[in-house]
Amino acid sequence: MSENTHSAVTQVTQPRVLARYRQEVVSELMNRFGLDNPLAVPRLSKIVLNMGIGRAKGDEKVLKEAQYVLGAISGQKPVVTRARKSIAGFAVRARAPVGCMVTLRRHRMYEFLDRLISIVLPRIRDFRGLSADSFDGHGNYTLGIREHFVFPEVDPDAVDHVYGMHITVCTTAKADPEALELLTLLGMPFKQWAQGDQRFREPESEETQQS
């Protein structure tokens, strides 16, 4: 395969969000943060999908359903998470299955983020944007999905229960404002401001400014 052909194939198969990051976001963040080295620009490191299945205690069918749902959504085989120790109050025994999770990296991570932004979030009922308050202080963002039905990859006839999940987008940003800038430029639909953070205040109206 010639070098030109290989380059063309690479461009065709490159996820859209990754292409946007390389072609637009890197230069924009370098200007905003005054960075000279492109390697210092914040980037995505991984996306973790975590699904709790507390009702799966002793029910192998529920566990298999949850694995199917998470596998269909991510395109990757989920890992079953198990209790580290027994908890009598919740009738949980040590090593009992309590959930399943998937960690996405590289191209699969960008492809999933593209589907999340362009297909899944618009399908959520009464969706008005993501809250910018859900960063963890270290540049990572977590959002919750209540119903798996918003993912079109899941066959509704193959599942008898409704499953929710948490999606954590991990970045290399050193602070939450940098991560917010990165994810916003990648296309995540955040609300205009984060409560309690002066940096993301709602812009004042003309009437307020004149008064």
Side-chain angles (χ1 to χ4, degrees), residues 27-36 40-42 177-182 185 199:
S27 59
E28 180 66 26
L29 291 180
M30 289 180 67
N31 292 332
R32 293 191 185 186
F33 300 135
L35 301 173
D36 297 325
V41 175
E178 294 181 3
L180 178 59
E181 295 279 6
L182 168 64
L185 289 174
R199 186 175 183 278

Side-chain angles (χ1 to χ4, degrees), residues 3-208:
E3 183 177 349
N4 292 336
T5 303
H6 178 74
S7 176
V9 173
T10 302
Q11 292 178 0
V12 171
T13 59
Q14 182 174 242
R16 292 190 303 174
V17 175
L18 177 57
R20 181 187 305 161
Y21 175 77
R22 291 174 173 173
Q23 298 169 8
E24 304 174 12
V25 176
V26 171
S27 59
E28 180 66 26
L29 291 180
M30 289 180 67
N31 292 332
R32 293 191 185 186
F33 300 135
L35 301 173
D36 297 325
N37 187 352
L39 297 178
V41 175
R43 64 184 185 278
L44 299 185
S45 58
K46 62 182 178 181
I47 296 179
V48 180
L49 284 66
N50 189 10
M51 179 183 293
I53 47 175
R55 61 172 175 267
K57 294 179 293 186
D59 192 339
E60 189 69 19
K61 180 181 179 181
V62 174
L63 178 59
K64 289 183 177 180
E65 271 191 0
Q67 289 179 288
Y68 159 73
V69 170
L70 205 54
I73 291 171
S74 64
Q76 191 168 302
K77 184 178 180 180
V79 175
V80 176
T81 55
R82 300 181 180 275
R84 296 183 179 180
K85 59 182 180 180
S86 299
I87 305 177
F90 293 96
V92 175
R93 296 181 179 180
R95 300 298 301 164
V98 293
C100 54
M101 64 175 291
V102 166
T103 300
L104 302 175
R105 302 179 189 272
R106 301 181 182 87
H107 278 208
R108 281 190 176 179
M109 167 181 68
Y110 288 102
E111 289 169 353
F112 174 81
L113 185 62
D114 190 1
R115 288 185 283 115
L116 179 69
I117 294 171
S118 59
I119 299 175
V120 175
L121 294 180
R123 288 165 60 97
I124 296 177
R125 183 181 301 175
D126 298 328
F127 179 72
R128 295 184 176 87
L130 297 172
S131 171
D133 295 331
S134 297
F135 287 90
D136 65 353
H138 303 283
N140 306 312
Y141 182 79
T142 298
L143 65 137
I145 301 292
R146 293 184 178 180
E147 299 178 347
H148 70 268
F149 297 122
V150 293
F151 291 91
E153 298 88 353
V154 180
D155 180 4
D157 296 330
V159 182
D160 295 330
H161 302 84
V162 178
Y163 297 90
M165 70 195 70
H166 285 97
I167 300 172
T168 301
V169 182
C170 301
T171 77
T172 61
K174 297 180 180 179
D176 291 346
E178 294 181 3
L180 178 59
E181 295 279 6
L182 168 64
L183 297 181
T184 300
L185 289 174
L186 289 177
M188 291 191 70
F190 286 101
K191 297 176 183 177
Q192 289 188 350
W193 59 292
Q195 295 180 357
D197 192 333
Q198 295 298 311
R199 186 175 183 278
F200 306 114
R201 290 183 303 174
E202 283 184 311
E204 296 181 350
S205 64
E206 294 183 359
E207 296 180 357
T208 304

